[in-house]
Amino acid sequence: MYRYLEHRLAWRIVEFLRFRYPDANLPKVVIEQPPKVELGDFAIPLFPFAKPLRTAPLKIAEAIRADIGPIEGIAEMQVAPPGYLNVRIDRAWMATALASDQKPPADIPPGKILVEHTSINPNKAAHIGHLRNAILGDTFVRLLRFEGREVDIQNYIDNTGVQVADVVVGFTQIEKKSRAEIEALTHQPRFDYYCWDLYARVSKWYEQDKQNLQIRARTLHAIEDATSETAAIAELISTAVLRRHLETMDRLDIEYDFLPRESEILHLHFWDAAFVKLKEAGVLTYENEGKNKGCWVMRRAGTVATEDTGDAEQAEKISEEDQKVIVRSNGTVGYVGKDIAYHMWKFGLLGRDFAYRKFYRYPNQHDCWISAMQGEKDHPHFGDVAEIYNVIDARQSEAQNTVIEALRGLGHNEAADHYTHFSYEMVALTPRCAAELGYALSEEDKTRSYIEVSGRKGFGVKADDLLDQLIASAKNEVDSRHPQLTETERLSIAKQIAIGALRYFMLKFTKQSVIAFDFKEALSFEGETGPYAQYAVVRATSIFKKAAIDPNSFSRDVANNVSAADLAKFLAGDNADEFWELWLAASKTSYLVDQCIATTEPAYLAKHAFQLAQLFNTFYHRHPILSEPDEKRKQFLLATVAVVRRELIRALAVMGVTVPPVM
């Protein structure tokens, strides 16, 4: 309701000013949140209106306050120098709406959204950095679905790239294994771990003799030939590792709808179709001289055209520094070229499609599909979307911008405008965490704020190892606190705590922050952690259990347990600010979800959940709810607990965090 009221307030002010100043070009109304509820619930700075309205901000504020008329949900407006309008919400109106869980009609934009995330090279086990990508992407999907949007989840699989080629080289050249022997290994429970170690060995093998890199090049070329034995081996390895990746992410309740593979993009000639369009539109130019002679290039994103000298050919020329090679002189297309073709397919602009087959079924019976040369007849419709969000680390910014510029060059400006690179920074380890995982650290390492991981060097944290250790640590705590529970119950609780801790830890940092992961910090029941927020819900639930009240039933119909008059009574007056602050915070779930989507920043919701849990814990310690002698006040306090509990559960669910029965 907070978001709905904010939008309504902004609209009414705009309409009022348009009526008063019909010829003025009005700026956007900005609504801020005062630092304390005593100052009001909304603060509107009117300074941006002074120049277009040729009126002092203070006079504009006074005019709005005096003449705008009643607005449902707004109690009063006050003018504050030098030009603010401070607005107070009608507390009884807001609380009544929140108690009855009213959901105002939402204006849901048409069209399907595609969120692509995870996209791990299928050559070794997933690591901690991949978890950040997957958790960010999955949470963004949950945010969009909370808002009622239709979302497809894709996980791009580069199964013909150099990383897969390196593992093929390891099996065939270093270990001298046959295709049959490799196939037998793929059935091992953690084949991806085997590949992790082998990948590190291959990297050292290249360093020992640079001539070995020629074998990599030949292998990479052979993988692109679908009829070769090398391609068959690469398919065996990448498919087995991919299945392990899905199993790992499934532990975190992360699912996908479709797995497009680079092999099909190549063999179904997506690039050939895109290449024709790019040349016809003049997006690509052929270089006849210079360092990129024989290449097809396009202008790097952010560069400008060469100054026009009157010569048409010269005016179109791109300086060598500004050239991005899309097709090499040997005729092979680079990663960005294939990515351009792939994104044209995403927007329904390519005129070609994949074949599809089922690949993985989740415990909830949801099917994940994979691209194929020949597939199943009945399949969901993928691609042809209205918006795209690509969760890819910040190092890929140039490549992502190149794809966007290619779309613009093809005349697809609307598609380019709805293509978002959801970028983020890396995950490292604190020295303490690295030591706990058994890595030998130098004295210099011990003084660093974080230790970078490297899959090529074999240094890092495998995702499954991290989950196993978090669960084991959480279970030790649960075992000591709840020995009366069965082993199965304690393990289930430990998993919820561990996964909640991991997901929250990955989300509480802004995307552009480097994360230094630490076991102790993530699992702490105090401070800004997942377990702290989970514990607030458990504590709220225990209040109802002690009162022999079903918390879910009470929460579904809070308004039936406390009247609007009582809500107005207990939320009125200066002494009620503490209660109102809690109700106001609980009303902001949709507002924060909106903010997270608009800024592609899930950290705002994590901060909201923590602050709501903090406010609730303060409330819990100050007010002995069940021993309250005044029955109406007791019902109001229970209503407060119910509303906060409901909204905390919702906010955590959007982050993929579930709440155990006990902590």
Side-chain angles (χ1 to χ4, degrees):
M1 293 305 294
Y2 183 90
R3 176 185 61 173
Y4 172 72
L5 194 55
E6 183 192 57
H7 289 176
R8 178 193 287 174
L9 177 62
W11 177 79
R12 281 293 301 276
I13 289 173
V14 168
E15 290 300 299
F16 173 81
L17 293 176
R18 278 179 181 161
F19 180 78
R20 280 289 186 96
Y21 305 92
D23 298 325
N25 184 19
L26 298 177
K28 182 180 177 181
V29 174
V30 175
I31 299 182
E32 301 174 351
Q33 299 178 56
K36 297 179 181 179
V37 294
E38 305 94 83
L39 301 175
D41 304 307
F42 298 119
I44 304 171
L46 293 164
F47 312 105
F49 293 85
K51 187 174 180 180
L53 302 186
R54 298 180 180 180
T55 307
L58 202 59
K59 288 188 176 295
I60 299 171
E62 288 170 345
I64 294 171
R65 183 194 62 77
D67 298 326
I68 197 170
I71 302 174
E72 186 184 19
I74 300 300
E76 64 173 320
M77 296 182 177
Q78 297 175 340
V79 175
Y84 281 90
L85 194 64
N86 289 341
V87 181
R88 295 185 186 277
I89 292 172
D90 182 334
R91 294 182 178 186
W93 180 90
M94 174 71 88
T96 301
L98 194 58
S100 56
D101 199 16
Q102 289 183 22
K103 295 180 175 64
D107 184 16
I108 301 173
K112 185 164 58 174
I113 298 176
L114 191 158
V115 177
E116 179 186 308
H117 67 81
T118 307
S119 304
I120 311 171
N121 290 314
N123 70 318
K124 65 182 186 309
H127 60 61
I128 191 171
H130 299 134
L131 289 180
R132 186 178 196 186
N133 183 309
I135 290 169
L136 281 169
D138 179 67
T139 301
F140 199 68
V141 169
R142 292 168 186 263
L143 287 161
L144 290 167
R145 287 179 172 167
F146 184 90
E147 291 282 81
R149 300 302 302 270
E150 182 185 2
V151 186
D152 269 356
I153 313 163
Q154 291 189 185
N155 178 0
Y156 180 78
I157 310 302
D158 183 2
N159 61 334
T160 64
V162 67
Q163 289 82 3
V164 172
D166 286 346
V167 178
V168 172
V169 168
F171 276 117
T172 59
Q173 303 298 318
I174 298 178
E175 297 199 335
K176 308 293 184 183
K177 292 191 183 298
S178 67
R179 177 177 170 182
E181 289 172 323
I182 297 169
E183 184 172 9
L185 284 172
T186 64
H187 298 299
Q188 289 186 358
R190 287 192 168 177
F191 175 67
D192 52 338
Y193 278 41
Y194 189 105
C195 293
W196 174 288
D197 296 333
L198 182 59
Y199 182 61
R201 287 168 57 197
V202 172
S203 297
K204 291 180 181 178
W205 189 65
Y206 291 147
E207 291 173 2
Q208 290 166 2
D209 186 348
K210 297 300 181 184
Q211 293 298 315
N212 292 334
L213 289 171
Q214 296 178 9
I215 298 175
R216 170 201 266 177
R218 291 196 297 270
T219 302
L220 189 61
H221 183 72
I223 286 174
E224 294 187 359
D225 178 3
T227 63
S228 71
E229 177 74 1
T230 303
I233 291 172
E235 168 77 4
L236 266 177
I237 295 167
S238 61
T239 301
V241 172
L242 172 57
R243 193 171 294 277
R244 281 290 305 119
H245 289 169
L246 297 193
E247 291 168 352
T248 298
M249 297 307 165
D250 195 13
R251 298 179 71 184
L252 290 161
D253 196 24
I254 295 173
E255 298 181 357
Y256 310 92
D257 298 316
F258 177 48
L259 310 171
R261 298 189 298 181
E262 185 164 303
S263 54
E264 277 72 49
I265 289 176
L266 287 170
H267 303 320
L268 292 171
H269 305 291
F270 277 29
W271 166 248
D272 294 342
F275 193 24
V276 171
K277 293 176 185 290
L278 290 164
K279 287 187 290 185
E280 288 177 349
V283 176
L284 297 183
T285 57
Y286 185 78
E287 286 298 297
N288 291 300
E289 57 187 21
K291 67 176 183 179
N292 292 327
K293 182 180 179 181
C295 299
W296 286 91
V297 303
M298 66 175 284
R299 190 182 315 285
R300 288 184 183 277
T303 61
V304 296
T306 306
E307 184 179 352
D308 192 344
T309 59
D311 185 319
E313 183 177 342
Q314 180 65 28
E316 293 297 320
K317 189 171 180 61
I318 309 169
S319 69
E320 286 190 357
E321 294 75 19
D322 293 342
Q323 290 174 1
K324 177 69 176 177
V325 175
I326 304 301
V327 182
R328 304 180 189 96
S329 58
N330 62 4
T332 60
V333 58
Y335 162 77
V336 175
K338 287 177 281 190
D339 211 28
I340 292 169
Y342 170 44
H343 283 86
M344 290 173 68
W345 168 81
K346 286 182 178 181
F347 279 118
L349 304 172
L350 191 63
R352 300 198 178 192
D353 199 3
F354 296 101
Y356 303 89
R357 62 181 175 84
K358 292 175 184 175
F359 181 75
Y360 188 88
R361 174 162 286 187
Y362 294 98
N364 63 4
Q365 303 307 300
H366 172 65
D367 286 316
C368 177
W369 294 73
I370 196 168
S371 62
M373 295 294 293
Q374 295 181 328
E376 300 176 36
K377 185 176 181 181
D378 296 321
H379 60 80
H381 178 68
F382 297 109
D384 194 20
V385 299
E387 297 178 60
I388 295 172
Y389 291 89
N390 271 3
V391 186
I392 304 176
D393 75 50
R395 291 169 293 183
Q396 296 297 321
S397 292
E398 183 187 359
Q400 291 291 292
N401 289 334
T402 300
V403 174
I404 292 171
E405 289 307 307
L407 290 170
R408 293 197 189 283
L410 289 166
H412 303 303
N413 287 317
E414 186 176 357
D417 290 342
H418 289 90
Y419 179 108
T420 301
H421 175 202
F422 189 122
S423 68
Y424 65 94
E425 278 294 345
M426 69 174 182
V427 182
L429 307 175
T430 63
R432 178 173 63 185
C433 183
E436 288 174 356
L437 288 163
Y439 290 106
L441 302 180
S442 67
E443 290 303 313
E444 182 183 356
D445 287 336
K446 294 175 184 177
T447 63
R448 292 179 178 175
S449 55
Y450 60 82
I451 309 293
E452 291 188 37
V453 299
S454 171
R456 188 170 290 278
K457 295 178 181 178
F459 178 79
V461 183
K462 301 181 186 73
D464 281 307
D465 283 350
L466 176 63
L467 282 166
D468 290 344
Q469 189 152 341
L470 283 169
I471 291 168
S473 298
K475 188 166 182 299
N476 287 338
E477 188 70 24
V478 175
D479 287 345
S480 65
R481 293 185 179 210
H482 303 285
Q484 78 282 4
L485 298 178
T486 67
E487 174 71 13
T488 301
E489 288 172 329
R490 283 182 274 125
L491 180 58
S492 175
I493 292 166
K495 287 179 178 178
Q496 286 179 283
I497 294 171
I499 291 168
L502 176 60
R503 291 190 68 123
Y504 189 94
F505 192 90
M506 291 294 186
L507 293 169
K508 74 175 183 176
F509 298 95
T510 57
K511 297 176 303 174
Q512 301 311 319
S513 303
V514 174
I515 293 179
F517 187 82
D518 186 88
F519 285 107
K520 185 176 181 180
E521 183 183 349
L523 278 171
S524 174
F525 279 46
E526 300 298 328
E528 192 177 353
T529 66
Y532 179 82
Q534 288 172 315
Y535 190 60
V537 178
V538 170
R539 176 172 273 169
T541 302
S542 70
I543 294 171
F544 288 100
K545 287 183 177 179
K546 289 175 183 177
I549 299 171
D550 177 54
N552 295 321
S553 298
F554 192 99
S555 296
R556 279 193 296 270
D557 198 9
V558 176
N560 191 47
N561 296 285
V562 59
S563 69
D566 286 337
L567 288 172
K569 172 185 173 183
F570 293 114
L571 289 171
D574 295 337
N575 294 332
D577 282 349
E578 175 199 350
F579 296 142
W580 173 239
E581 188 174 14
L582 191 49
W583 280 77
L584 185 63
S587 74
K588 293 181 180 179
T589 305
S590 294
Y591 171 81
L592 267 299
V593 168
D594 227 15
Q595 190 177 30
C596 290
I597 293 172
T599 59
T600 61
E601 185 54 270
Y604 294 130
L605 189 61
K607 182 70 69 177
H608 168 65
F610 171 61
Q611 291 174 342
L612 189 53
Q614 270 189 317
L615 287 169
F616 172 75
N617 284 330
T618 301
F619 162 85
Y620 173 86
H621 287 298
R622 286 183 181 173
H623 302 282
I625 299 166
L626 298 182
S627 60
E628 171 58 51
D630 182 334
E631 186 58 31
K632 287 191 174 182
R633 181 179 170 85
K634 180 179 178 179
Q635 289 301 313
F636 167 75
L637 295 175
L638 284 170
T640 303
V641 175
V643 166
V644 172
R645 176 182 177 274
R646 184 188 69 205
E647 296 306 314
L648 255 180
I649 289 172
R650 281 179 178 164
L652 290 172
V654 174
M655 293 188 286
V657 178
T658 59
V659 180
V662 296
M663 295 283 285

